[in-house]
Structures are given as C-alpha cells and as structure tokens.
Amino acid sequence: MMLNDLQKRTAQAIVNIFETGHVQGDYASVTRLAGDSGGLTYGRSQTTRASGNLHKLVDAYCAAPEAARAADLAPYLPKLAARDDALDTDDVFCARLREAGADPVMRHVQDAFFDRLFWTPASREAARLGLEEALSVATVYDSYIHGSWARMRDRTIGAAGTPTSRGARSWTQSYLHTRRAWLAGHANRLLHRTVYRMDALLALADEGNWALDLPLTLRGQQITPEKLWP
C-alpha cells in the first residue's frame, strides 16, 4: 500500500519539526553545534556538510535556472566538494546560505533534494521490509534523515526478528525502542538530546495513529492539512 500525498507530507512534517521546529521546515536554517560529526547543517530537514550532501544541494541550486543567489554560493562549491570543515566557521558562507533559503528556487530545489536522497530510498526500504503503514514509513524516513538506519534495522532484526515474522507494527515499536536505547547511551552526548524523536513516534504508536490521521501535535506544533500546503 502506497502512502497518499497527505500522509507523505505529514510524515515529512514530523521530521521537519524534529529538525527545525517547523511543520514545513526552515529552508534557511543553518545549525552549527560543537561536537556534531556532521558539521554544519542546512535547510528544510538539515542536510550535512560532512556527508557531502550539502555540496549536492548547493550544486543543484547553483545549476537551477533563475537561482537568485547562485553567484553568491558557486565559489564555495570546491570547498563543499572537499567537505572542508573550515566552512563550519565561515560566517559569510553561513549568511549566504540563509539568504538563499528565502529564494523560492532554493525551496523547490530542497523539496526535490530531500525527496530524491531521503524520502524515495526510505519509502522503498520500508516497502521491501513490508512496513506499509504511514507511521512505519515515517519511522524509516526519520532514521534516513537522522542517520544509522541500517545499523539499527539490523540490530532490531537480530533481537526481535523481521517485520514479517514479528508483525509490522510490533517490529516498528521494537525498532523505536532499540534506537532510543542507542541514542540515549551513545558516546556522542549530543545524541542523548534526540531521544524525543523516538518518544514522539512511540506516542503516536501508543495512540494507534498508524495512518498519521490529522490533526496531530508534536513538540508544541500542530499539523493540520492547511499547514502542509503553503
């Protein structure tokens, strides 16, 4: 069963809230946290400099017709390609990213980018595992954005069996508990602060909201159909 467009947008809104605190995400958000192995993060759902994905995003923007800030960002492409950590403390670069985030072209590029690199692969992986309900797909997508999906998937399968043998809903809950324990005990203390993601998804499971029916509220942000379409 494929998710409908409302369910897709709801799942993405959940992750947007986790990443930037906004239902539609914050396309101009630049985050620099000491100790974050990803380095500088940017955009609607916060893609990282260290992964090389920020280079892919900025490169796509600079190549887009009518990109208003392409000339400002193009000189940084070689450093982005090299994953240069000096960019994390480059205030001019960060300011230019924020300015580009107000460009409708950047918003369009980011929507396509997060679909291509994260939503589509996560949806395919969920389907491969037999995780068809919207909350289960949102769980996979959240881990694709946040990182270490495959490691936690395999750990859950080792402890709880496969989604087919365990049942998709039960497996999803086992996965969320497994990932929560991993985040809470991680050597990087920054990850301890992200256990709320698992708590929020587990709360939806406890409520039985596997279809991600609206309205729903996460971290003080209400998701309604009206808020999903600008």
Side-chain angles (χ1 to χ4, degrees), residues 5 29 33-34 39 45 48 59 78 100 103 116 122 135 157 165-166 185 197 213 215:
D5 192 44
S29 175
L33 296 175
S45 296
T48 64
D59 187 51
D103 181 3
R116 184 174 70 255
L135 179 53
I157 289 173
S165 65
R166 181 69 179 262
R197 302 169 83 117
D213 293 326

Side-chain angles (χ1 to χ4, degrees), residues 19 29-43 45-59 73 76-90 93-94 97 113-114 117-118 145-146 190:
E19 291 291 335
S29 175
V30 175
T31 303
R32 298 180 283 183
L33 296 175
D36 187 345
S37 60
L40 179 152
T41 63
Y42 175 66
S45 296
Q46 296 291 282
T47 200
T48 64
R49 186 266 309 157
S51 67
N53 286 332
L54 183 54
H55 171 256
K56 294 176 184 176
L57 173 58
V58 174
D59 187 51
L73 290 175
Y76 293 95
L77 287 173
K79 286 188 175 182
L80 284 166
R83 309 183 190 191
D84 188 342
D85 60 10
L87 291 171
D88 296 355
T89 54
D90 188 327
F93 173 61
C94 292
L97 284 175
F113 168 85
F114 284 108
L117 268 70
F118 298 99
I145 290 285
H146 200 210
L190 280 176

Side-chain angles (χ1 to χ4, degrees), residues 203-220:
L204 290 171
D206 290 343
E207 294 165 8
N209 194 357
W210 291 90
L212 298 181
D213 293 326
L214 299 179
L216 61 85
T217 301
L218 281 91
R219 298 182 64 77

